[in-house]
Amino acid sequence: MIAYVNRIAEEPGISIGLGPGEFKLTVEQEKQFIADRAAEDNSLFLVAEAVGEIVGVLSLRSGLRRAMCHEAVLGITVKQEWRGRGVGDTLMTYAVDWARHSGVISRIELHVFTTNTTAIHLYQKHGFEIEGCRRKALFREGLYHDDYVMALLI
Ligand SMILES: CC(C)(COP(=O)(O)OP(=O)(O)OC[C@H]1O[C@@H](n2cnc3c(N)ncnc32)[C@H](O)[C@@H]1OP(=O)(O)O)[C@@H](O)C(=O)NCCC(=O)NCCS
């Protein structure tokens, strides 16, 4: 998992808010992170695997406070060589279905670069709507980027 995330973070031009060398979890910390998510009834951590390797990851992470425990924040990545082959769509289908049946989640929120048309298309396909634009929200590779706040209400 650590190698997977580091590789994604190092990818030139990728539209995520994590940069090269910024993922600093040790193996023990990563194990604990996964165990913590598994123990929470309002969080989900999905791994797509093919030919023995990790090819995609989706996380839904919710707050622990009562006022926010119905809201999950979604993050998704697919390994470069596996994009455009339905992995992201499969992960999204599973996650939205899981949330609908969780009995806890009534809102899924995500942030996406306004230029990331592939991801925006995928999210809209799964019912997410753009709620607003955060201008200059991210700074990556020498440029500021705007992002959209998108959400699905359940
Ligand atoms: C965004 C991402 C998760 C999508 O996953 P994926 O496995 O590539 O997507 P899928 O193959 O399941 O395709 C999903 C939809 O996007 C479309 N799509 C795929 N690649 C595309 C491309 N390059 N341009 C336009 N549309 C594209 C597919 O046609 C499909 O739509 P359809 O079902 O209407 O035909 C993946 O591309 C990725 O990890 N990108 C880099 C990291 C990233 O941007 N993460 C999101 C941060 S918010």
Side-chain angles (χ1 to χ4, degrees), residues 26-64:
T26 63
V27 171
E28 283 310 314
Q29 289 168 330
E30 179 66 21
K31 277 186 186 172
Q32 191 60 51
F33 176 84
I34 293 168
D36 289 346
R37 298 296 81 70
E40 294 166 4
D41 65 357
N42 60 353
S43 290
L44 179 70
F45 193 70
L46 287 178
V47 174
E49 190 188 314
V51 290
E53 57 174 302
I54 296 171
V55 298
V57 173
L58 183 151
S59 76
L60 282 180
R61 193 165 179 196
S62 299
L64 297 177

Side-chain angles (χ1 to χ4, degrees), residues 7-123:
R7 197 176 146 195
I8 295 266
E10 283 161 13
E11 209 182 297
I14 192 157
S15 303
I16 60 170
L18 183 73
E22 290 179 346
F23 186 72
K24 297 192 189 297
L25 292 196
T26 63
V27 171
E28 283 310 314
Q29 289 168 330
E30 179 66 21
K31 277 186 186 172
Q32 191 60 51
F33 176 84
I34 293 168
D36 289 346
R37 298 296 81 70
E40 294 166 4
D41 65 357
N42 60 353
S43 290
L44 179 70
F45 193 70
L46 287 178
V47 174
E49 190 188 314
V51 290
E53 57 174 302
I54 296 171
V55 298
V57 173
L58 183 151
S59 76
L60 282 180
R61 193 165 179 196
S62 299
L64 297 177
R65 295 184 200 158
R66 197 167 300 164
M68 287 175 275
C69 64
H70 65 284
E71 178 184 25
V73 177
L74 186 145
I76 180 172
T77 57
V78 171
K79 192 172 182 177
Q80 196 169 25
E81 302 87 319
W82 285 82
R83 290 182 200 148
R85 295 163 71 173
V87 176
D89 194 43
T90 304
L91 288 170
M92 288 295 294
T93 300
Y94 187 100
V96 170
D97 189 59
W98 176 86
R100 285 192 200 288
H101 291 94
S102 68
V104 191
I105 305 296
S106 51
R107 171 183 168 90
I108 305 176
E109 177 175 312
L110 60 85
H111 296 174
V112 57
F113 281 42
T114 55
T115 48
N116 193 349
T117 50
T118 304
I120 293 166
H121 172 83
L122 177 64
Y123 302 144

